[in-house]
Coordinates of all heavy atoms in Angstrom, one line a residue:
S29 N -11.8 -9.6 -2.1 CA -12.5 -9.4 -3.3 C -13.0 -8.0 -3.5 O -13.4 -7.5 -4.6 CB -13.5 -10.4 -3.6 OG -14.5 -10.3 -2.6
A30 N -13.2 -7.3 -2.3 CA -13.7 -6.0 -2.3 C -12.6 -5.0 -1.8 O -11.7 -5.4 -1.2 CB -14.9 -5.9 -1.3
P31 N -12.7 -3.7 -2.2 CA -11.7 -2.7 -1.8 C -11.6 -2.6 -0.3 O -12.6 -2.8 0.4 CB -12.2 -1.4 -2.4 CG -13.0 -1.8 -3.6 CD -13.8 -3.1 -3.1
I32 N -10.5 -2.3 0.3 CA -10.3 -2.2 1.7 C -9.5 -0.9 1.9 O -8.7 -0.4 1.1 CB -9.6 -3.3 2.3 CG1 -8.1 -3.5 1.8 CG2 -10.4 -4.6 2.2 CD1 -7.3 -4.4 2.6
E33 N -9.6 -0.3 3.1 CA -8.9 0.8 3.5 C -7.8 0.3 4.5 O -8.0 -0.6 5.3 CB -9.8 1.8 4.4 CG -10.9 2.4 3.7 CD -10.6 3.2 2.5 OE1 -9.6 4.0 2.7 OE2 -11.2 3.3 1.5
A34 N -6.5 0.7 4.2 CA -5.4 0.2 4.9 C -4.3 1.2 5.0 O -4.4 2.4 4.4 CB -4.8 -1.0 4.2
R35 N -3.2 0.9 5.6 CA -2.0 1.8 5.6 C -1.0 1.0 4.8 O -0.9 -0.3 5.0 CB -1.5 1.9 7.0 CG -2.5 2.8 7.8 CD -2.0 3.3 9.2 NE -0.8 4.0 9.2 CZ -0.6 5.3 8.8 NH1 -1.6 5.9 8.3 NH2 0.6 5.9 8.8
V36 N -0.3 1.6 3.8 CA 0.6 1.0 3.0 C 2.0 1.5 3.1 O 2.2 2.8 3.0 CB 0.1 1.1 1.5 CG1 1.0 0.4 0.5 CG2 -1.3 0.5 1.3
Q37 N 2.9 0.6 3.3 CA 4.4 1.0 3.4 C 5.1 0.6 2.1 O 5.0 -0.7 1.8 CB 5.0 0.4 4.6 CG 6.4 0.9 4.9 CD 7.0 0.3 6.2 OE1 6.3 -0.2 6.9 NE2 8.2 0.7 6.4
V38 N 5.8 1.4 1.4 CA 6.5 1.1 0.2 C 8.0 1.1 0.2 O 8.7 0.6 -0.6 CB 6.0 2.0 -1.0 CG1 4.5 1.9 -1.4 CG2 6.4 3.5 -0.7
R39 N 8.5 1.5 1.3 CA 10.0 1.4 1.6 C 10.3 1.1 3.0 O 9.3 1.4 3.9 CB 10.7 2.8 1.2 CG 10.7 3.0 -0.3 CD 11.4 4.3 -0.7 NE 10.9 5.5 0.0 CZ 9.8 6.1 -0.4 NH1 9.1 5.6 -1.3 NH2 9.4 7.2 0.3
H40 N 11.2 0.4 3.3 CA 11.7 0.0 4.6 C 11.6 1.1 5.7 O 11.0 1.0 6.7 CB 13.0 -0.8 4.7 CG 13.4 -1.2 6.0 ND1 12.8 -2.0 6.8 CD2 14.4 -0.6 6.9 CE1 13.3 -2.2 8.0 NE2 14.4 -1.3 8.0
R41 N 12.1 2.2 5.3 CA 12.2 3.3 6.3 C 11.2 4.4 6.1 O 11.2 5.5 6.6 CB 13.6 4.0 6.2 CG 14.7 3.0 6.6 CD 16.0 3.7 6.9 NE 17.0 2.8 7.2 CZ 17.3 2.4 8.4 NH1 16.6 2.8 9.3 NH2 18.4 1.6 8.5
H42 N 10.2 4.1 5.2 CA 9.1 5.0 4.9 C 7.9 4.7 5.9 O 7.6 3.6 6.1 CB 8.6 4.9 3.4 CG 7.5 5.6 3.0 ND1 6.2 5.2 2.9 CD2 7.5 7.0 2.6 CE1 5.5 6.2 2.6 NE2 6.1 7.2 2.5
A43 N 7.3 5.8 6.3 CA 6.1 5.5 7.2 C 4.9 5.1 6.4 O 4.8 5.5 5.2 CB 5.7 7.0 7.8
A44 N 4.1 4.2 6.8 CA 3.0 3.7 6.1 C 2.0 4.9 6.0 O 1.9 5.8 6.8 CB 2.3 2.6 6.9
A45 N 1.4 4.9 4.8 CA 0.4 6.0 4.5 C -0.9 5.4 4.2 O -1.1 4.2 3.8 CB 0.9 6.6 3.2
N46 N -2.0 6.2 4.4 CA -3.4 5.7 4.3 C -3.6 5.5 2.8 O -3.2 6.3 2.0 CB -4.4 6.7 4.8 CG -4.4 6.6 6.3 OD1 -4.1 5.8 7.1 ND2 -4.8 7.9 6.9
A47 N -4.4 4.4 2.4 CA -4.6 4.1 1.0 C -5.9 3.3 1.0 O -6.3 2.7 2.0 CB -3.5 3.4 0.4
R48 N -6.4 3.2 -0.2 CA -7.6 2.2 -0.6 C -6.9 1.2 -1.6 O -6.3 1.5 -2.5 CB -8.6 3.1 -1.2 CG -9.8 2.2 -1.5 CD -10.9 3.1 -2.0 NE -12.0 2.3 -2.7 CZ -12.1 2.2 -4.0 NH1 -11.3 2.9 -4.8 NH2 -12.9 1.5 -4.5
I49 N -7.1 -0.1 -1.2 CA -6.6 -1.2 -2.0 C -7.8 -1.8 -2.7 O -8.7 -2.2 -2.1 CB -5.9 -2.2 -1.1 CG1 -4.7 -1.5 -0.4 CG2 -5.3 -3.3 -2.0 CD1 -4.1 -2.3 0.8
E50 N -7.7 -1.8 -4.1 CA -8.7 -2.3 -5.0 C -8.1 -3.6 -5.7 O -7.4 -3.4 -6.6 CB -9.0 -1.2 -5.9 CG -10.1 -1.6 -6.9 CD -10.4 -0.4 -7.9 OE1 -10.1 0.7 -7.6 OE2 -10.8 -0.7 -9.0
P51 N -8.7 -4.7 -5.3 CA -8.3 -5.9 -6.0 C -8.7 -5.8 -7.5 O -9.8 -5.3 -7.8 CB -9.1 -7.0 -5.4 CG -9.4 -6.4 -4.1 CD -9.7 -5.1 -4.2
T52 N -7.8 -6.3 -8.4 CA -8.0 -6.2 -9.8 C -7.9 -7.7 -10.4 O -8.1 -7.9 -11.6 CB -6.9 -5.4 -10.5 OG1 -5.6 -5.8 -10.2 CG2 -7.2 -3.9 -10.2
G53 N -7.5 -8.7 -9.7 CA -7.4 -10.1 -10.1 C -7.0 -10.9 -8.9 O -6.8 -10.3 -7.8
P54 N -6.8 -12.2 -9.1 CA -6.5 -13.1 -8.1 C -5.1 -12.7 -7.4 O -4.8 -13.0 -6.2 CB -6.5 -14.5 -8.7 CG -6.4 -14.2 -10.1 CD -7.0 -12.9 -10.4
D55 N -4.2 -12.2 -8.1 CA -2.9 -11.8 -7.7 C -2.5 -10.4 -7.9 O -1.3 -10.2 -8.1 CB -1.9 -12.8 -8.3 CG -2.1 -14.3 -7.8 OD1 -2.4 -14.5 -6.7 OD2 -1.8 -15.1 -8.8
S56 N -3.4 -9.5 -8.0 CA -3.1 -8.1 -8.3 C -4.1 -7.2 -7.7 O -5.2 -7.5 -7.3 CB -3.0 -7.9 -9.7 OG -4.2 -8.1 -10.4
A57 N -3.6 -5.9 -7.6 CA -4.4 -4.9 -6.9 C -3.9 -3.5 -7.3 O -2.7 -3.4 -7.6 CB -4.5 -5.1 -5.4
L58 N -4.7 -2.5 -7.3 CA -4.3 -1.1 -7.4 C -4.4 -0.5 -6.0 O -5.3 -0.8 -5.2 CB -5.3 -0.3 -8.2 CG -5.3 -0.7 -9.8 CD1 -6.4 0.2 -10.4 CD2 -3.9 -0.2 -10.3
V59 N -3.4 0.3 -5.7 CA -3.3 1.0 -4.4 C -3.5 2.5 -4.7 O -2.7 3.2 -5.5 CB -1.9 0.8 -3.8 CG1 -1.8 1.6 -2.5 CG2 -1.8 -0.7 -3.5
H60 N -4.5 3.1 -4.1 CA -4.9 4.5 -4.2 C -4.5 5.2 -3.0 O -5.2 5.0 -2.0 CB -6.3 4.7 -4.6 CG -6.8 4.0 -5.8 ND1 -6.6 4.6 -7.1 CD2 -7.4 2.7 -6.0 CE1 -7.0 3.6 -8.0 NE2 -7.6 2.6 -7.3
F61 N -3.4 6.0 -3.0 CA -3.1 6.6 -1.7 C -3.9 7.8 -1.6 O -4.2 8.5 -2.5 CB -1.5 7.1 -1.7 CG -0.6 5.9 -1.6 CD1 0.0 5.4 -2.7 CD2 -0.3 5.4 -0.4 CE1 0.9 4.3 -2.7 CE2 0.6 4.3 -0.3 CZ 1.2 3.7 -1.4
D62 N -4.2 8.1 -0.2 CA -5.0 9.3 0.2 C -4.2 10.6 -0.1 O -4.8 11.5 -0.6 CB -5.4 9.4 1.6 CG -6.4 8.2 2.0 OD1 -6.8 7.5 1.1 OD2 -6.7 8.0 3.2
E63 N -2.9 10.6 0.0 CA -2.1 11.7 -0.3 C -1.0 11.2 -1.1 O -0.6 10.0 -1.1 CB -1.5 12.3 1.0 CG -2.5 12.8 2.0 CD -3.2 14.0 1.5 OE1 -2.5 14.8 0.8 OE2 -4.3 14.3 1.8
P64 N -0.3 12.0 -2.1 CA 0.8 11.5 -2.9 C 1.9 10.9 -2.1 O 2.3 11.5 -0.9 CB 1.3 12.8 -3.6 CG 0.0 13.7 -3.6 CD -0.6 13.4 -2.3
V65 N 2.5 9.8 -2.6 CA 3.6 9.3 -2.0 C 4.8 9.3 -3.0 O 4.7 9.0 -4.1 CB 3.3 7.7 -1.6 CG1 4.6 7.0 -1.2 CG2 2.2 7.6 -0.6
R66 N 5.9 9.7 -2.6 CA 7.1 9.9 -3.4 C 7.8 8.6 -3.6 O 7.9 7.8 -2.8 CB 8.1 10.9 -2.8 CG 7.5 12.3 -2.8 CD 8.5 13.3 -2.2 NE 9.8 12.9 -2.8 CZ 10.7 13.9 -3.1 NH1 10.4 15.1 -3.0 NH2 11.9 13.5 -3.6
A67 N 8.5 8.6 -4.7 CA 9.5 7.5 -5.1 C 9.0 6.1 -5.1 O 9.7 5.2 -4.6 CB 10.7 7.6 -4.3
V68 N 7.7 5.9 -5.5 CA 7.2 4.6 -5.6 C 7.8 4.0 -6.9 O 7.7 4.7 -8.0 CB 5.6 4.6 -5.6 CG1 5.2 3.2 -5.9 CG2 5.2 5.2 -4.4
A69 N 8.5 2.9 -6.8 CA 9.2 2.3 -8.0 C 8.9 0.8 -8.2 O 8.9 0.1 -7.2 CB 10.7 2.6 -7.9
P70 N 8.9 0.3 -9.5 CA 8.8 -1.1 -9.7 C 9.9 -1.8 -9.0 O 11.0 -1.3 -9.0 CB 8.8 -1.2 -11.3 CG 8.4 0.1 -11.7 CD 8.9 1.2 -10.6
G71 N 9.6 -3.0 -8.5 CA 10.5 -3.9 -7.9 C 10.5 -3.8 -6.3 O 11.1 -4.6 -5.7
Q72 N 10.0 -2.6 -5.9 CA 9.8 -2.5 -4.5 C 8.6 -3.3 -3.9 O 7.7 -3.5 -4.5 CB 9.6 -0.9 -4.0 CG 10.7 0.0 -4.3 CD 10.4 1.4 -4.0 OE1 9.2 1.9 -4.3 NE2 11.3 2.1 -3.5
A73 N 8.7 -3.6 -2.5 CA 7.6 -4.2 -2.0 C 6.7 -3.2 -1.3 O 7.0 -2.1 -1.0 CB 8.0 -5.1 -0.8
A74 N 5.3 -3.6 -1.4 CA 4.3 -2.8 -0.8 C 3.7 -3.6 0.4 O 3.3 -4.8 0.0 CB 3.3 -2.3 -1.8
V75 N 3.7 -3.2 1.6 CA 3.0 -4.0 2.6 C 1.8 -3.3 3.2 O 1.9 -2.1 3.4 CB 4.1 -4.2 3.8 CG1 3.5 -5.0 4.9 CG2 5.3 -4.9 3.2
F76 N 0.8 -4.0 3.2 CA -0.5 -3.5 3.7 C -0.8 -3.9 5.2 O -0.8 -5.0 5.6 CB -1.7 -4.1 2.8 CG -1.5 -4.1 1.4 CD1 -2.1 -5.1 0.7 CD2 -0.8 -3.1 0.7 CE1 -1.9 -5.2 -0.8 CE2 -0.5 -3.1 -0.6 CZ -1.1 -4.1 -1.3
Y77 N -1.1 -2.8 6.0 CA -1.3 -2.9 7.4 C -2.7 -2.5 7.8 O -3.3 -1.6 7.0 CB -0.4 -2.0 8.2 CG 1.1 -2.4 8.0 CD1 1.9 -1.8 7.1 CD2 1.6 -3.3 8.9 CE1 3.3 -2.2 7.0 CE2 2.9 -3.7 8.8 CZ 3.8 -3.2 7.8 OH 5.0 -3.5 7.8
D78 N -3.3 -3.2 8.7 CA -4.6 -2.8 9.3 C -4.6 -1.3 9.9 O -3.6 -1.0 10.5 CB -5.0 -3.8 10.4 CG -6.4 -3.6 10.8 OD1 -6.6 -2.5 11.5 OD2 -7.4 -4.3 10.6
R79 N -5.5 -0.5 9.5 CA -5.5 0.9 9.9 C -5.7 1.0 11.5 O -5.1 1.8 12.1 CB -6.6 1.7 9.3 CG -6.1 2.2 7.9 CD -7.1 3.2 7.5 NE -6.7 3.7 6.1 CZ -7.3 4.6 5.4 NH1 -8.2 5.4 6.0 NH2 -7.0 4.9 4.2
A80 N -6.6 0.1 12.1 CA -6.7 0.2 13.5 C -5.7 -0.4 14.3 O -5.3 0.1 15.3 CB -8.1 -0.5 13.8
R81 N -5.1 -1.5 13.8 CA -4.0 -2.2 14.5 C -2.8 -2.1 13.6 O -2.5 -3.1 12.8 CB -4.4 -3.6 14.8 CG -5.5 -3.8 15.8 CD -5.9 -5.2 16.0 NE -6.4 -5.9 14.8 CZ -7.6 -5.8 14.4 NH1 -8.6 -5.1 15.1 NH2 -8.1 -6.4 13.3
N82 N -2.0 -1.1 13.6 CA -1.1 -0.6 12.7 C 0.1 -1.7 12.4 O 0.7 -1.7 11.3 CB -0.5 0.8 13.0 CG 0.3 1.4 11.9 OD1 -0.2 1.2 10.8 ND2 1.3 2.0 12.2
E83 N 0.2 -2.5 13.3 CA 1.3 -3.6 13.1 C 0.8 -4.9 12.6 O 1.5 -5.8 12.2 CB 2.0 -3.9 14.5 CG 2.8 -2.6 14.9 CD 3.6 -2.9 16.2 OE1 3.8 -4.1 16.5 OE2 4.1 -1.9 16.7
E84 N -0.6 -5.0 12.4 CA -1.1 -6.2 11.8 C -1.0 -6.2 10.3 O -1.6 -5.3 9.6 CB -2.5 -6.4 12.3 CG -3.2 -7.7 11.7 CD -4.6 -7.9 12.2 OE1 -5.0 -7.3 13.1 OE2 -5.3 -8.7 11.5
V85 N -0.2 -7.1 9.7 CA -0.1 -7.2 8.3 C -1.3 -7.9 7.6 O -1.7 -8.9 8.0 CB 1.2 -8.0 8.0 CG1 1.4 -8.1 6.5 CG2 2.4 -7.3 8.5
L86 N -1.9 -7.1 6.7 CA -3.0 -7.8 5.8 C -2.5 -8.5 4.6 O -3.2 -9.4 4.1 CB -4.0 -6.6 5.5 CG -4.6 -5.8 6.7 CD1 -5.4 -4.7 6.1 CD2 -5.3 -6.7 7.6
G87 N -1.4 -8.0 4.0 CA -0.9 -8.7 2.9 C 0.2 -7.7 2.2 O 0.7 -6.8 2.9
G88 N 0.4 -8.0 0.9 CA 1.4 -7.1 0.3 C 1.7 -7.8 -1.1 O 1.2 -8.7 -1.5
G89 N 2.8 -7.1 -1.7 CA 3.3 -7.7 -3.0 C 4.3 -6.8 -3.6 O 4.8 -5.9 -2.9
W90 N 4.7 -7.1 -4.8 CA 5.8 -6.3 -5.4 C 5.1 -5.3 -6.3 O 4.2 -5.6 -7.1 CB 6.6 -7.3 -6.3 CG 7.3 -8.3 -5.4 CD1 7.0 -9.7 -5.4 CD2 8.4 -8.0 -4.5 NE1 8.0 -10.2 -4.5 CE2 8.7 -9.2 -3.9 CE3 9.1 -6.9 -4.1 CZ2 9.7 -9.4 -2.9 CZ3 10.1 -7.0 -3.2 CH2 10.3 -8.2 -2.6
I91 N 5.6 -4.1 -6.3 CA 5.1 -3.0 -7.2 C 5.6 -3.2 -8.6 O 6.7 -3.5 -8.9 CB 5.7 -1.8 -6.7 CG1 5.2 -1.4 -5.3 CG2 5.3 -0.5 -7.6 CD1 5.8 -0.3 -4.6
V92 N 4.7 -3.3 -9.6 CA 5.1 -3.4 -10.9 C 4.9 -2.2 -11.7 O 5.4 -2.1 -12.9 CB 4.1 -4.5 -11.6 CG1 4.5 -5.8 -11.0 CG2 2.7 -4.2 -11.6
G93 N 4.3 -1.1 -11.2 CA 4.4 0.2 -11.9 C 3.6 1.2 -10.9 O 3.1 0.9 -9.9
G94 N 3.7 2.5 -11.5 CA 3.1 3.5 -10.7 C 2.3 4.5 -11.7 O 2.6 4.5 -12.9
L95 N 1.3 5.2 -11.1 CA 0.6 6.1 -11.9 C 0.8 7.6 -11.2 O 1.0 7.5 -10.1 CB -0.9 5.8 -11.9 CG -1.2 4.4 -12.4 CD1 -2.7 4.1 -12.2 CD2 -1.0 4.2 -13.8
R96 N 0.5 8.5 -12.1 CA 0.7 9.9 -11.6 C -0.8 10.3 -11.3 O -1.7 10.1 -11.9 CB 1.4 10.8 -12.6 CG 2.8 10.5 -12.6 CD 3.6 11.5 -13.4 NE 4.9 11.5 -13.1 CZ 5.6 12.2 -12.1 NH1 4.8 13.0 -11.4 NH2 6.9 12.1 -12.0

């Protein structure tokens, strides 16, 4: 229910990037990347990883849109 700091991977071969995940509802969230991430597109999966234990999955979901 509160924002978290995590690493987010948006493509299978893309390195996870530092981001802040802000819940916006029971099944939705905004992801604010620390640095710009290229080619984020609707329909892709976003996977959230713990920053300290990079392989521990915290959650994820499908991307429905992107902001500039």
